[in-house]
Amino acid sequence: MDYSLQNMLVALGQLLLGGLFVFTGLNNFGPLGDRAAAGLKARGIPSPREVLKVASAFEVVAGACLMLGAMVAPAALALAFYTVVASYVLSNFWQQPLGETREVMHRTFIANIAIVGGLLLAAAQAL
């Protein structure tokens, strides 16, 4: 087994990125899921609880793939696409009036785009 610094950094990056999605997905099956489902409903998403369950299951499975180093490129690309779509739908700061809510949503959107960057790097490294 190769224990080079590069391989350790790649493994750590995959662990952290994947862990973010696993953690978030699992949390949505608990009490925090009620708040998330309410947010989906407020944005006009039909069957918000069911959509949340499917999305959360996807997050857990794809995130676990990243963490375990299994099917890294497809998992990372799928999570990148998912994150872009979710950010567009849920962090649509451009539709908010100026103020604190818009600023929070803008920061969330920017952070999500940075996560997409990390996912694209993980996918590129795995190809």
Side-chain angles (χ1 to χ4, degrees), residues 38-112:
L40 292 174
K41 184 177 181 179
R43 289 188 171 63
I45 305 295
S47 303
R49 176 51 84 179
E50 290 75 17
V51 168
L52 182 63
K53 286 179 183 178
V54 170
S56 297
F58 165 75
E59 286 184 291
V60 170
V61 171
C65 285
L66 276 182
M67 291 177 76
L68 299 171
M71 300 186 308
V72 171
L77 290 172
L79 284 168
F81 178 77
Y82 168 82
T83 303
V84 167
V85 171
S87 296
Y88 178 77
V89 172
L90 301 176
S91 299
N92 52 349
F93 66 91
W94 52 88
Q95 292 181 340
Q96 300 297 317
L98 292 176
E100 186 176 343
T101 299
R102 181 182 175 128
E103 290 176 26
V104 169
M105 291 177 80
H106 182 253
R107 284 192 299 269
T108 300
F109 185 86
I110 295 300
N112 287 348

